[in-house]
Amino acid sequence: MSAGVSKGSLLGSKSPAEVFQVVESKERDQVVKVVNQEDVSLGMVDPTTGRSLLHKLLTTITNGDKIVVDKLDSCITASGDNVDSDDYAVVVDHRYLVDEDSRNMVLIKDLLHLPKKISTKVLSHPVITTFIEKRWLQTRWSFLISFTLYLSFVLLFSSFLWLMFERYGEHD
């Protein structure tokens, strides 16, 4: 291998640094070409800033939301041609939302930190909606247990303080 060619370039895939370098160039045609590659996910994290590719597209590229929506649309496929068939189904693939670690939530965090004007169109997309619902089903019980423990602590501690000060109030 030559010094200027990386292993990812030979295989046709791009490293996160290469993808973000193309996005920084702000050449729309090149950005669209790179983002539409199979191995590029919107959850890819920029090694320098820690932000997702989705955030970078929505904040630096003119009409970046259209690029993102096109990428999200490519995640939706139909399992047949006949809509009236019993076997017909719409398949939503979340592989373009997460990078290597499927538990990584950088994409959702970045999306929630963007202004409402920018993120509304992307947040209401069916792929993002199903992704959030799927994640909620996985984390719902841990949230409910944590909430219940915290609520019981607050109630018990408040009761303790009330009883403590009530006792001293009677002797005055």
Side-chain angles (χ1 to χ4, degrees), residues 4-5 11 24 29 36 40 52 55 61 65 82 97-99 112 114 116 118-119 133 138 142-143 148 154 160 172:
V5 178
L11 298 175
E24 285 295 322
D29 295 336
N36 287 333
V40 175
S52 65
H55 182 270
I61 304 296
D65 59 331
N82 186 3
L97 297 181
V98 291
D99 200 18
L112 293 174
L114 288 170
K116 190 174 185 179
I118 297 173
S119 64
E133 287 174 359
Q138 293 173 352
S142 63
F143 170 78
T148 305
V154 168
F160 169 74
D172 287 341

Side-chain angles (χ1 to χ4, degrees), residues 105-168:
M105 294 298 286
V106 172
L107 179 102
I108 300 299
K109 289 177 188 173
D110 284 347
L111 199 52
L112 293 174
H113 289 329
L114 288 170
K116 190 174 185 179
K117 182 181 175 185
I118 297 173
S119 64
T120 302
K121 190 174 183 182
V122 177
L123 265 175
S124 62
H125 195 279
V127 174
I128 298 289
T129 305
T130 57
F131 181 72
I132 292 171
E133 287 174 359
K134 181 180 169 187
R135 289 300 172 106
W136 172 245
L137 289 175
Q138 293 173 352
T139 59
R140 176 179 52 189
W141 290 110
S142 63
F143 170 78
L144 291 173
I145 289 170
S146 298
F147 176 74
T148 305
L149 288 173
Y150 178 75
L151 183 65
S152 61
F153 167 76
V154 168
L155 292 174
L156 288 171
F157 189 67
S158 298
S159 300
F160 169 74
L161 290 176
W162 179 75
L163 288 172
M164 198 166 152
F165 286 112
E166 180 67 26
R167 184 176 62 181
Y168 289 122

Side-chain angles (χ1 to χ4, degrees), residues 20-80:
F20 284 98
Q21 185 177 12
V22 171
V23 173
E24 285 295 322
S25 73
K26 297 183 182 180
E27 294 178 24
R28 186 173 177 80
D29 295 336
Q30 290 292 328
V31 171
V32 170
K33 183 179 171 185
V34 167
V35 170
N36 287 333
Q37 289 181 354
E38 285 287 322
D39 61 330
V40 175
S41 72
L42 293 172
M44 187 179 280
V45 178
D46 185 357
T48 57
T49 63
R51 295 285 191 171
S52 65
L53 178 61
L54 175 110
H55 182 270
K56 202 71 153 172
L57 290 171
L58 291 176
T59 56
T60 60
I61 304 296
T62 305
N63 291 329
D65 59 331
K66 292 181 182 177
I67 298 171
V68 170
V69 169
D70 287 343
K71 183 74 169 182
L72 292 174
D73 287 343
S74 69
C75 296
I76 301 173
T77 56
S79 65

